[in-house]
């Protein structure tokens, strides 16, 4: 008899909630030994203060010294190509050098220039959702297209390729797949983005890749430009798409809070922060490797150990906020680690916030009778995905 595959502890959910076992690990020990989806043991850090401590200290908790799971199947040349430009897998000063080139393009001021176009994209997606007729899949017609088109325009990626790169993203993030399939998806993704980066070098446009070529072309290798493009494309559509889908489901299950967002524009900013805290769609940030023996929550962790950070457990830590298990869009959710913290704080956070601030109220006002088309028990969650979300969300109005 085949044993059912089970997600590792840091990825387990009960619908939108972390499982009770994860909360107990946080409240009792703070740090527990776990197995990763890729067969390596690790220390899981669960408390908010400890997660922030790890994220604030790249000298002791290295991202660059932590190999990705398929690295053993690559030779040295391919490993170097795959890891070049991947900010989430770099430490200062290399991380600092590349991030400094990108930061000016992701300031709040720069993002505001995109607001009219994002508003248009949202309205176009709402038109498409309405044309689909009820019941319709909100993920397919709204949650996924909005951030996909935004990041495509920002990077200069052909929107016609969106189905292709989304399918690759799903495979890249699915920990239930064999390593060979994830590796194949990585190679396909690298080849695709290398082609886009080469075209940007040959004929730089007004998009982000073109800007990097014009302003920093002599400082960036071809592999670094490819790596930056890969990371921004994956992070730019996958995370926000799942927040829009899962966030809509959360609001439909809390109709009083949905009504506040729909009827009062002032509610949306704190609502976005609370949804980021409560949902915590990134199960665990990329693992770190300890560069020396460290102590966290009273537990000694040897040098050379893998450390995984539980974002859902940290964001529902009673030490962060009162009544953390309750979704409350009126609370001040400052300090959550839904966008990370420290040198690896999400570069695209201003863009993601703007997309959500525009998209949620527009959806709820366009369809004031929005409702689930199926019982909540039939909602199909992405159980084995590093970025938690929904396969689909059938709605009516």
């Amino acid at each position: 008899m085949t044993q059912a595959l089970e997600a590792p502890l840091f990825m387990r959910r009960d619908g939108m909630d972390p499982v009770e076992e994860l909360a107990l690990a946080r409240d009792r020990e703070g740090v527990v030994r776990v197995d990763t989806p890729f067969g390596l043991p690790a220390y899981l850090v669960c408390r908010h203060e400890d997660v922030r401590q790890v994220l604030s200290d790249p000298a002791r908790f290295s991202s660059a010294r932590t190999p990705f799971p398929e690295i053993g199947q690559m030779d040295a040349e391919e490993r170097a190509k795959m890891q070049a430009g991947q900010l989430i897998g770099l430490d200062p000063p290399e991380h600092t050098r590349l991030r400094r080139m990108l930061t000016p393009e992701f300031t709040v001021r720069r993002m505001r220039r995109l607001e009219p176009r994002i508003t248009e994209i949202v309205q176009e997606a709402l038109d498409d959702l309405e044309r689909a007729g009820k019941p319709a899949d909100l993920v397919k017609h709204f949650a996924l297209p909005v951030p996909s088109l935004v990041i495509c325009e920002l990077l200069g990626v052909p929107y016609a390729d969106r189905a292709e790169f989304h399918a690759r993203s799903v495979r890249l993030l699915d920990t239930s797949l064999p390593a060979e399939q994830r590796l194949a998806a990585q190679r396909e993704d690298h080849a695709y983005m290398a082609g886009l980066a080469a075209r940007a070098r040959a004929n730089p446009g007004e998009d982000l890749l073109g800007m990097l070529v014009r302003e920093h072309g002599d400082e960036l290798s071809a592999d670094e430009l490819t790596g930056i493009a890969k990371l921004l494309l994956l992070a730019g559509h996958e995370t926000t798409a799942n927040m829009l889908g899962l966030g809509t489901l959360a609001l439909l299950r809390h109709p009083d809070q949905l009504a506040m967002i729909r009827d009062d524009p002032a509610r949306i900013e704190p609502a976005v922060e609370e949804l980021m805290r409560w949902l915590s769609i990134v199960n665990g940030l990329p693992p770190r490797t300890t560069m020396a023996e460290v102590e966290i929550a009273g537990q000694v962790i040897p040098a050379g150990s893998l450390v995984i950070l539980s974002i859902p457990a940290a964001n529902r830590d009673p030490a962060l906020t009162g009544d953390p298990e309750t979704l409350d869009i009126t609370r001040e959710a400052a300090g959550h680690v839904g966008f990370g913290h420290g040198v690896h704080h999400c570069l695209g956070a201003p863009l993601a916030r703007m997309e959500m601030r525009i998209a949620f109220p527009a959806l709820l006002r366009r369809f004031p009778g929005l409702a689930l088309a199926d019982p909540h028990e039939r909602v199909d969650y992405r159980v084995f995905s590093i970025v938690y979300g929904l396969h689909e969300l059938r709605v009516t109005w």
Side-chain angles (χ1 to χ4, degrees):
M1 186 176 187
T2 303
Q3 186 175 5
L5 188 64
E6 184 178 35
L9 175 59
F10 70 94
M11 293 177 64
R12 290 181 208 156
R13 306 263 186 148
D14 180 8
M16 286 177 281
D17 301 321
V19 294
E20 184 180 6
E21 186 182 357
L22 188 56
L24 290 174
R26 177 196 62 221
D27 298 340
R28 292 176 179 174
E29 296 97 346
V31 176
V32 293
R33 293 291 300 272
V34 295
D35 290 324
T36 67
F38 316 110
L40 298 173
Y43 291 84
L44 181 63
V45 179
C46 302
R47 293 174 182 164
H48 179 263
E49 181 180 353
D50 296 330
V51 166
R52 283 172 61 96
Q53 174 192 334
V54 173
L55 291 173
S56 300
D57 194 350
R60 291 197 303 158
F61 301 94
S62 170
S63 299
R65 300 297 180 92
T66 306
F68 53 89
E70 295 79 31
I71 199 167
Q73 302 181 44
M74 302 179 185
D75 59 28
E77 182 180 357
E78 186 178 20
R79 286 200 299 269
K81 281 182 173 291
M82 289 290 190
Q83 292 179 305
Q86 293 282 352
L87 274 76
I88 59 173
L90 297 175
D91 296 327
E94 191 64 11
H95 172 273
T96 308
R97 178 181 73 86
L98 295 178
R99 182 159 177 137
R100 188 176 292 129
M101 298 178 194
L102 289 164
T103 297
E105 295 303 308
F106 286 93
T107 61
V108 173
R109 180 182 299 177
R110 293 284 181 97
M111 290 302 102
R112 283 184 183 141
R113 295 193 308 201
L114 295 174
E115 187 168 356
R117 180 60 185 133
I118 294 174
T119 300
E120 288 178 2
I121 289 170
V122 167
Q123 293 304 320
E124 290 164 5
L126 291 172
D127 291 342
D128 182 58
L129 180 64
E130 188 166 19
R131 281 193 299 268
K134 52 188 177 182
D137 180 5
L138 184 123
V139 171
K140 176 182 178 181
H141 295 287
F142 183 73
L144 185 59
V146 168
S148 295
L149 186 51
V150 170
I151 200 65
C152 281
E153 291 196 4
L154 189 65
L155 291 177
V157 175
Y159 187 56
D161 296 346
R162 66 193 183 280
E164 178 187 347
F165 69 68
H166 175 62
R168 277 198 307 271
S169 298
V170 170
R171 283 186 288 149
L172 285 167
L173 296 169
D174 188 348
T175 60
S176 70
L177 293 179
E180 294 77 13
Q181 291 187 34
R182 294 195 306 272
L183 179 59
Q186 284 196 36
R187 286 170 170 158
E188 291 169 21
D189 192 50
H190 186 87
Y192 174 79
M193 296 309 300
L196 288 178
R199 290 198 288 275
R201 278 196 179 275
N203 184 24
E206 297 304 313
D207 52 75
L208 182 59
L209 295 185
M211 179 280 295
L212 286 171
V213 170
R214 287 194 306 275
E215 297 186 11
H216 304 286
D218 294 339
E219 306 168 63
L220 284 171
S221 69
D223 289 332
E224 285 177 330
L225 185 62
T226 298
I228 289 170
K230 285 194 302 184
L231 176 62
L232 294 180
L233 182 62
L234 176 65
H237 84 273
E238 199 58 43
T239 50
T240 307
N242 284 292
M243 272 301 302
L244 290 176
L246 207 57
T248 300
L249 175 60
L251 293 172
L252 287 172
R253 297 196 66 198
H254 295 81
D256 56 331
Q257 303 195 52
L258 182 153
M260 283 191 278
I261 293 174
R262 183 191 62 219
D263 299 337
D264 184 356
R267 299 286 190 182
I268 187 58
E269 289 197 24
V272 165
E273 299 308 314
E274 174 66 352
L275 286 167
M276 284 293 303
R277 180 199 71 82
W278 195 72
L279 293 172
S280 298
I281 59 164
V282 178
N283 284 305
L285 295 177
R288 269 65 173 169
T289 298
T290 53
M291 301 304 292
E293 182 179 276
V294 298
E295 183 177 330
I296 302 177
Q299 180 160 340
V300 175
I301 300 176
S305 300
L306 279 183
V307 172
I308 295 177
L309 309 174
S310 175
I311 302 306
N315 276 340
R316 295 207 186 183
D317 189 339
L320 170 64
T321 186
D323 193 17
E325 299 299 327
T326 298
L327 177 68
D328 178 5
I329 65 165
T330 67
R331 88 165 78 233
E332 294 293 330
H336 72 76
V337 287
F339 285 116
H341 179 68
V343 298
H344 286 287
H345 182 270
C346 177
L347 184 68
L351 177 60
R353 285 183 167 111
M354 177 171 287
E355 290 179 71
M356 288 186 279
R357 286 200 303 262
I358 294 171
F360 282 126
L363 170 67
L364 301 178
R365 290 169 193 156
R366 179 72 165 269
F367 301 104
L370 192 71
L372 291 179
D374 303 309
H376 176 252
E377 293 73 24
R378 290 176 55 188
V379 171
D380 191 9
Y381 293 95
R382 293 173 57 175
V383 175
F384 293 99
S385 179
I386 294 169
V387 179
Y388 195 61
L390 305 171
H391 290 288
E392 67 173 0
L393 183 66
R394 284 167 30 93
V395 295
T396 187
W397 52 86

